[in-house]
Amino acid sequence: MKIATWNVNSIRSRLSIVIDWLKQNPVDVLCLQETKVIDSDFPREPFEEIGYSLAISGQKSYNGVAIASRTPLTDIKIGFSSILNRQLATELDEQKRVISGQLGAVRIVNLYVPNGAALDSDKYEYKLRWLATLRDYLAHFVKEKNTELCVCGDFNIALDDRDIYNPKGKEKHIMSSPMEREALENVLALGLKDAFRKFNSETGYFSWWDYRQGGFSRNRGWRIDHHYLTPKLYEKAVACTIDIEPRKLEKPSDHTPVIVEW
Amino acid sequence: MKIATWNVNSIRSRLSIVIDWLKQNPVDVLCLQETKVIDSDFPREPFEEIGYSLAISGQKSYNGVAIASRTPLTDIKIGFSSILNRQLATELDEQKRVISGQLGAVRIVNLYVPNGAALDSDKYEYKLRWLATLRDYLAHFVKEKNTELCVCGDFNIALDDRDIYNPKGKEKHIMSSPMEREALENVLALGLKDAFRKFNSETGYFSWWDYRQGGFSRNRGWRIDHHYLTPKLYEKAVACTIDIEPRKLEKPSDHTPVIVEW
DNA sequence: GTCGAAGGAG
DNA sequence: CTCCTTCGAC
């Protein structure tokens, strides 16, 4: 089983790159973030033509998540409020950042974590609130018997300094500040582990490079796209790799796909 | 000698289409309109790499003309005010629509005639004023001894009804209204003749098709891109053809090149 | 840098 | 329909 995650920065702008990649890399599941399109405009057919089913939750201009899978996922759940019965969940669901579905005994959770803009901004507080809510959302699934979790997506957080090309002074930087790292660690304390680090403990492996000032050609990257697995699935995992090829193409996304296999 | 004219609707958006076309069709001169780029941003190198010299007069967003030639043109003149010493010429030159240069005994004049928007608009009056000024500008060259003229470009006028896919009711339409046709005829009365009509008197030959509602696939076109020649050159002309192939490509200009040969 | 939006031009 | 602009987002 191969599960990929890819922030595509507009599925309409990236359609041919994504479809070409899927043809070359026929993963079982592809989790997409930043689709930037309302559901009625999502380009479903190109995916369906190559044998993928879709579960989508889109939003005009911003955000938007989707899961393409060879086997249709069951029990699709969209947003925090599909699980959490509280006002905050409904408010956070105005931004389309959460979709999940069941694949046999595994629940695939696809997330687009808020970026946070800057440490002193309202958006940073939103990110922290969102991560606290994510914990409660995931706790629901962790409690379920006979269910393993694969929580993947664009986390907009580098868990530790190995995940940044140059970590110096990055504690004041969005994506690596202590509070957001702690908020993510609180989520992982539910019993989730970073699949990539099962296989590789070195620095220098990144999944996102800023479009600006030659971030990619200078390998100024961050590893912010992750797969977090519950213990049994983590044990089963046999590989977790980053495919940087799509980032080399013309008009790429700023992120590149990451694939876990079990 | 082959002289082509092509409204490219942004040279930056059309660069590869234009360069590919020039490689396949190594005309002596290519007159471009609607380059939509200031001179410092004009993509000179791709033209120079394939053996063309450039004379350009650009404007951000709108208008802009350029001449690419295998032999560098001499005595480049930009705008009406290069010839006409009057306030109106200077005002009209705020829009970059006129460039000309000498190729041996022939002056190549490259024009992007104003569109005119609608018959009751200020822009229509501007178009008429511009054409009246064009007459005086060209009169200067017509008077010159030993100079023939090739006046080409996007005229935004269909000279007669054969030049429109469906001329019914088009007297109230921009590009075919009586006043603008008369304004153009007044220019041609200097002694200029439409090279295309030396070789073909039929309808159904067009150089522009609206991007909207499948104008090209339904062949709802207009012949508004012309070469006008002084008598000796008109006699020498051996062909004038429209190459519709570039209009069939992905992301084409709405115009396609027209080539005169002598 | 590249995306989408909205608005104007053709 | 496709272009360009300005704008905010990331």
Side-chain angles (χ1 to χ4, degrees), chain A residues 24-35:
Chain A
Q24 295 291 317
N25 303 271
V27 293
D28 298 282
V29 177
L30 173 59
C31 293
L32 300 167
Q33 304 89 36
E34 272 200 273
T35 55

Side-chain angles (χ1 to χ4, degrees), chain A residues 15 46 83 89 113 129 132 145 155 159 176 178 185 190 196 222:
Chain A
L15 187 59
I83 300 297
V113 177
R129 227 158 47 229
K145 302 284 178 213
F155 285 81
L159 252 197
S176 54
E185 293 288 3
L190 291 167
F196 185 81
W222 296 60

Side-chain angles (χ1 to χ4, degrees), chain A residues 76-84 86 89 93 98-101 107-111 130-143 149 151 190:
Chain A
I76 305 296
K77 294 202 182 297
I78 287 173
F80 289 142
S81 55
S82 61
I83 300 297
L84 301 174
R86 63 176 81 151
D93 282 349
V98 179
I99 191 168
S100 77
R107 176 154 291 266
I108 309 288
V109 179
N110 178 21
L111 303 174
W130 195 95
L131 287 163
T133 306
L134 174 63
R135 186 188 204 281
D136 298 343
Y137 169 83
L138 293 176
H140 169 89
F141 297 114
V142 169
K143 277 181 234 148
L149 277 178
V151 181
L190 291 167

